[in-house]
Amino acid sequence: MLFENRIAQLREDLERHNRLYYQEATPEISDLEYDKLFRELEDLEKAHPNLYDPNSPTQRVGGAPLDAFEQREHLLPMLSIDDLFAKEEVADFHKRLHKSLGEAPIPLTVEPKIDGVACSLVYRNGSLDYAVTRGDGTRGDDITANVRTIRAVPLMLPKDKAPALLEVRGEIFMPSQGFAKLNEQRDEEGLATFANPRNATAGSLKSLDSKKVAERPLSFIAHGLGANEGADLNSEEDFRALLKEFDFPLNLPLWHVDSLDALLDAIRELDTARHELAYGTDGAVVKVVDFAQRETLGFTSRAPRWAAAFKYPPEQKETLLKEITIQVGRTGVLTPVAELAPVFVSGTTVSRATLHNQEEIERKDIRLGDTVVIEKAGEIIPSIVKVVSDKRKPDSTAYHLPTVLNRQCPSCHGPIEQQPGFVAWRCVNFACPAQAVTRITHFAQRKGLDLDGLGDSVSIKLVETGLASSPLELFTLTVDDLANLMLDPAKSSDGLTVSKERRFGEKRAETLLASLKRAKEEMPLHRWLFAMGISQVGESGARELARLHEKLTDLAGSEIISDLADLPDFEELLKSKRKKENHPRLKQFQIDDNLGPVAAQNIRSFFSSEAGQTVLQRLDELGINPKSDNFAPDPSTTEDLPLAGKTFVVTGSLSAPRPEFKKIIESHGGKVSGSISAKTDYLLAGEGGGSKRTKAESLQVPILNEEDLQELLGEA
Ligand code: IVH
């Protein structure tokens, strides 16, 4: 098969498997097979850059960060919707419909109002052209790069059936589980948590770095039709049939009603049903089904007359805070949890709520024995809103986590610490059993040592069965140990489908052992350093360490690390940079956010701790001493490269695909951004490139053609 056809086929297949996996939870192929197809496509695309397509499934991981979002005008205004707060208001709305449309029953639908961020998706000839936020209703932010990372958004529609132009509107949101996990993760990292899923969604979409957005668990559900050229649609039913054909996630459950009584029943039923949904909802949207009737009803200046949203009141309840327990997170973070007298709120009985951290407890002045007001953030996650202060007992005292714990981890009784700049208290014992599972999954992840088939569920089982309680114990596992491991039944992401208990099996055992062998023999130092999971040592920090150390054992007692750890004021250092340049050893460091004194302190204390010494000894016994593959103690700076410090935007059609030009610019020290701002140094423009050219002109950004670029590179 011609590679062109093969690429098209792979793109279509991968999108389908994507959907089966993420939306329908009925995958037809294994993760391994999916990865294989994905890599084949990646390789083909690399070999044929002229066939680049921003809507290829390979692009879902995000691209280069933008300087700013461009503004885009909506094809049709994106209106708001009128809110209804009581039964009487629903009756009035219904009466108004009949006043315009006559006596005959009016078919209506009732569906959940999803608590997210509205977005318009514009498809031209079956390909996602752009995505825009609602903005002021007339124009919004172009968030296409971010939206491409959302698995639930189809990037391509079946070409033979797609209309010339189709605008699908809907809600981008964060499912409850993903939201809870994200906040947990932020607690662990000592970052501020999001108040509710909508804030988390809006915050995520505001990021200019689509690679970061790709890591956020965002989803999409379609709920409205915008512009349309070429599809014959006459009712909500027609529209839904089209959405279904094109694999958009539909908004369910759905009620069809044609009387006021039935409408009120549906609104009541949805109030119960919505608590079963995997995401937050805050109302019921009522819509007239027939498009001709919608047209008769028309719009007010801000909202259509053919739709309305009944808002369910957020529920708040008072209850007693009986106790505060401390959870040891999988990375050692200590999270205080409120143990409450059980109360029924928004559909479920609540008896626990996270208190996040000591700072949060102080901010709300929460004390044992207090009466507290609770609600569900985004109708999902129980949280304490405030203390009812006049019900406080006179003898109550402020809560102080480290004092209550006597500065000991409740799991291993090791020391706990609060590092400067972080809100969380953390158990710093590397051998703490509460952290075993995360240590193993972190060790095994793709960015770590990339151990095939070793995810969460397998790690949990390894720890539970006692086969491994730390990463290095993986290296002594046998095929038999692994093959006989019984895994829990798998649950799909929507929690609906459950498979049988599964045996790990010989085949997977052998694959995993092979990747352990590869980790032992081939994985470079920086991957090992990241995999070891020392707090604050990320991928780039690990790479920087590997640039300055030849092999793992060189890090123990390293003077460079010690010097960095002892720097008194990192912020100052970043600001002045002078101290660094005058420092005998530190001047070779590229000190930035990736590797600072806190990371260095953690590395130093790890290697000098008992746990660290045990790790070094075990590595020695196993014959493992990972080597750096980027050892170069003298920093090769990009400072003398011709395009150093210059930011480019590329537009129009050039003699090669844009990614090629991006490579050229970057290899000469420049940066490429997606949109023009005052900070842009040059616009590289081929033929066309209309709106960017106009913008560059208005901002007086110099416009280059390919020859100008060559000249700039000194290659005329
Ligand atoms: S229909 C012309 N249906 O609520 C307005 N909107 O609309 C038609 N929203 O921010 C809107 N769930 O994004 C509609 N099932 C649903 C919805 C929904 C959430 C949001 C929408 C907008 C706001 C008002």
Side-chain angles (χ1 to χ4, degrees):
M1 199 194 290
L2 224 83
F3 56 76
E4 243 178 294
N5 294 344
R6 181 65 186 155
I7 288 180
Q9 186 68 48
L10 283 166
R11 285 176 179 163
E12 201 180 314
D13 289 354
L14 282 164
E15 271 295 274
R16 198 174 72 90
H17 291 307
N18 212 357
R19 206 177 59 236
L20 288 170
Y21 183 90
Y22 283 98
Q23 245 132 270
E24 293 165 35
T26 51
E28 283 175 5
I29 59 173
S30 70
D31 291 6
L32 223 65
E33 284 166 301
Y34 181 89
D35 285 347
K36 219 174 120 199
L37 293 177
F38 194 89
R39 281 183 199 166
E40 183 186 346
L41 178 57
E42 267 184 334
D43 290 345
L44 279 172
E45 288 181 342
K46 237 179 252 160
H48 305 285
N50 55 320
L51 296 176
Y52 169 80
D53 183 338
N55 287 330
S56 167
T58 54
Q59 303 302 306
R60 288 205 184 262
V61 291
L66 307 176
D67 284 341
F69 293 117
E70 280 191 52
Q71 293 280 300
R72 225 182 233 282
E73 204 139 316
H74 290 296
L75 299 172
L76 298 171
M78 247 175 122
L79 297 175
S80 170
I81 195 165
D82 282 332
D83 288 331
L84 310 171
F85 293 99
K87 221 165 111 179
E88 295 70 36
E89 294 180 16
V90 179
D92 285 345
F93 168 72
H94 194 253
K95 208 187 277 169
R96 285 199 298 276
L97 295 181
H98 276 291
K99 213 166 163 187
S100 297
L101 299 175
E103 303 281 281
I106 305 167
L108 301 169
T109 52
V110 178
E111 64 186 45
K113 184 166 195 296
I114 303 158
D115 199 10
V117 171
C119 183
S120 145
L121 308 175
V122 173
Y123 294 84
R124 284 187 201 274
N125 302 315
S127 204
L128 177 68
D129 190 14
Y130 60 83
V132 200
T133 61
R134 198 174 94 117
D136 64 5
T138 308
R139 54 179 65 237
D141 288 338
D142 184 327
I143 53 166
T144 316
N146 289 349
V147 169
R148 280 205 181 99
T149 68
I150 301 172
R151 296 298 207 275
V153 172
L155 300 179
M156 294 179 281
L157 312 178
K159 294 265 186 277
D160 46 330
K161 295 178 204 149
L165 169 70
L166 181 70
E167 180 190 358
V168 174
R169 292 172 175 182
E171 211 73 4
I172 298 176
F173 61 94
M174 195 175 283
S176 326
Q177 272 194 14
F179 168 68
K181 220 168 154 181
L182 176 66
N183 263 357
E184 240 171 67
Q185 212 175 316
R186 291 178 72 87
D187 271 337
E188 293 257 327
E189 286 165 18
L191 301 170
T193 48
F194 291 107
N196 54 52
R198 188 162 41 78
N199 287 1
T201 305
S204 304
L205 290 174
K206 279 204 187 92
S207 170
L208 293 166
D209 186 350
S210 50
K211 288 216 166 68
K212 296 233 166 80
V213 183
E215 288 166 9
R216 293 285 169 85
L218 297 176
S219 194
F220 175 84
I221 285 181
H223 59 52
L225 173 65
N228 163 28
E229 279 167 24
D232 184 23
L233 303 173
N234 300 305
S235 67
E236 181 69 17
E237 279 133 0
D238 289 354
F239 176 54
R240 282 188 174 246
L242 182 91
L243 290 176
K244 196 165 162 53
E245 186 168 13
F246 291 164
D247 287 312
F248 284 92
L250 295 175
N251 194 8
L252 294 169
L254 177 72
W255 281 259
H256 283 276
V257 298
D258 62 3
S259 72
L260 177 61
D261 283 345
L263 172 59
L264 290 169
D265 283 346
I267 290 175
R268 210 172 310 119
E269 283 166 29
L270 174 55
D271 195 15
T272 313
R274 70 197 182 101
H275 296 303
E276 304 295 316
L277 295 174
Y279 42 86
T281 56
D282 60 351
V285 177
V286 187
K287 293 175 185 170
V288 169
V289 170
D290 187 78
F291 285 2
Q293 290 193 325
R294 287 188 186 180
E295 207 162 319
T296 309
L297 288 159
F299 300 86
T300 66
S301 61
R302 56 175 295 274
R305 290 201 185 85
W306 47 262
F310 180 85
K311 295 294 269 294
Y312 298 114
E315 240 190 297
Q316 291 196 340
K317 287 273 176 74
E318 280 185 17
T319 190
L320 184 72
L321 172 58
K322 296 192 302 186
E323 206 184 325
I324 294 176
T325 51
I326 308 291
Q327 273 179 356
V328 186
R330 303 195 299 172
T331 60
V333 163
L334 305 174
T335 308
V337 178
E339 306 291 341
L340 307 162
V343 269
F344 194 74
V345 193
S346 302
T348 60
T349 302
V350 171
S351 52
R352 313 184 80 197
T354 177
L355 294 167
H356 299 295
N357 52 57
Q358 173 65 28
E359 212 167 74
E360 177 93 349
I361 294 178
E362 281 167 24
R363 198 166 59 76
K364 293 180 177 162
D365 187 21
I366 295 169
R367 303 180 183 193
L368 287 175
D370 274 349
T371 298
V372 292
V373 175
I374 67 162
E375 68 174 22
K376 286 195 185 158
E379 298 289 298
I380 296 155
I381 315 291
S383 73
I384 294 185
V385 185
K386 59 174 186 202
V387 170
V388 185
S389 43
D390 28 319
K391 292 193 184 169
R392 171 168 285 168
K393 297 201 185 75
D395 59 346
S396 84
T397 53
Y399 183 89
H400 188 236
L401 182 146
T403 309
V404 172
L405 290 180
N406 200 16
R407 292 183 189 258
Q408 279 181 4
C409 167
S411 170
C412 68
H413 306 289
I416 65 171
E417 271 175 23
Q418 186 182 34
Q419 283 171 334
F422 293 86
V423 286
W425 283 81
R426 178 191 289 271
C427 163
V428 290
N429 175 11
F430 200 78
C432 175
Q435 300 168 48
V437 172
T438 356
R439 291 219 174 276
I440 293 176
T441 28
H442 180 84
F443 190 75
Q445 66 173 292
R446 198 166 279 178
K447 294 189 282 185
L449 294 181
D450 195 15
L451 304 180
D452 287 321
L454 185 48
D456 269 339
S457 54
V458 179
S459 306
I460 290 171
K461 281 293 154 187
L462 285 171
V463 173
E464 270 179 16
T465 54
L467 277 173
S469 56
S470 74
L472 292 185
E473 286 172 32
L474 296 171
F475 289 94
T476 48
L477 294 175
T478 64
V479 177
D480 275 356
D481 289 340
L482 285 166
N484 293 324
L485 205 62
M486 293 308 285
L487 306 178
D488 285 338
K491 229 190 202 174
S492 65
S493 53
D494 60 2
L496 294 178
T497 30
V498 178
S499 75
K500 284 205 304 267
E501 195 183 44
R502 306 152 295 156
R503 190 171 166 271
F504 194 64
E506 275 73 17
K507 210 173 136 202
R508 282 201 276 174
E510 272 159 21
T511 316
L512 176 52
L513 288 178
S515 58
L516 278 161
K517 186 163 182 284
R518 188 185 57 198
K520 180 174 168 176
E521 291 168 3
E522 294 167 28
M523 279 298 182
L525 177 57
H526 70 92
R527 297 280 289 267
W528 270 87
L529 281 174
F530 174 75
M532 287 165 73
I534 298 171
S535 176
Q536 302 307 313
V537 180
E539 275 180 284
S540 356
R543 225 178 265 275
E544 184 61 5
L545 287 165
R547 194 174 62 73
L548 299 161
H549 299 86
E550 216 170 346
K551 49 189 191 302
L552 185 74
T553 42
D554 293 351
L555 273 96
S558 156
E559 290 185 335
I560 298 180
I561 290 173
S562 223
D563 287 345
L564 181 58
D566 289 336
L567 279 182
D569 194 337
F570 183 48
E571 288 295 312
E572 273 303 300
L573 179 86
L574 271 184
K575 265 185 247 148
S576 75
K577 288 226 171 183
R578 239 199 352 264
K579 279 187 215 151
K580 174 193 138 193
E581 270 142 33
N582 294 333
H583 193 289
R585 270 187 296 268
L586 288 180
K587 67 176 179 216
Q588 49 179 329
F589 245 119
Q590 288 176 2
I591 301 182
D592 53 21
D593 307 351
N594 294 328
L595 190 69
V598 177
Q601 284 157 24
N602 291 341
I603 297 164
R604 188 170 58 179
S605 57
F606 168 72
F607 280 107
S608 58
S609 72
E610 212 179 293
Q613 289 298 317
T614 314
V615 167
L616 285 175
Q617 194 189 329
R618 274 306 283 151
L619 282 170
D620 188 46
E621 286 162 9
L622 291 163
I624 302 175
N625 190 7
K627 313 240 163 346
S628 174
D629 67 352
N630 61 328
F631 182 58
D634 285 322
S636 63
T637 55
T638 51
E639 274 160 41
D640 345 301
L641 293 173
L643 303 183
K646 300 289 181 213
T647 302
F648 282 74
V649 171
V650 185
T651 189
S653 64
L654 298 151
S655 63
R658 284 187 220 163
E660 290 301 310
F661 280 93
K662 184 166 181 280
K663 264 187 244 160
I664 295 174
I665 293 168
E666 286 172 349
S667 65
H668 288 83
K671 273 199 305 193
V672 176
S673 157
S675 62
I676 299 200
S677 72
K679 280 188 275 171
T680 312
D681 293 293
Y682 298 105
L683 176 70
L684 172 63
E687 212 133 315
S691 71
K692 288 201 175 134
R693 201 181 265 276
T694 325
K695 190 153 180 202
E697 278 162 3
S698 73
L699 290 171
Q700 299 189 329
V701 171
I703 301 175
L704 309 182
N705 61 25
E706 290 182 35
E707 276 169 30
D708 300 331
L709 177 67
Q710 270 181 353
E711 212 165 292
L712 213 59
L713 297 176
E715 294 169 4

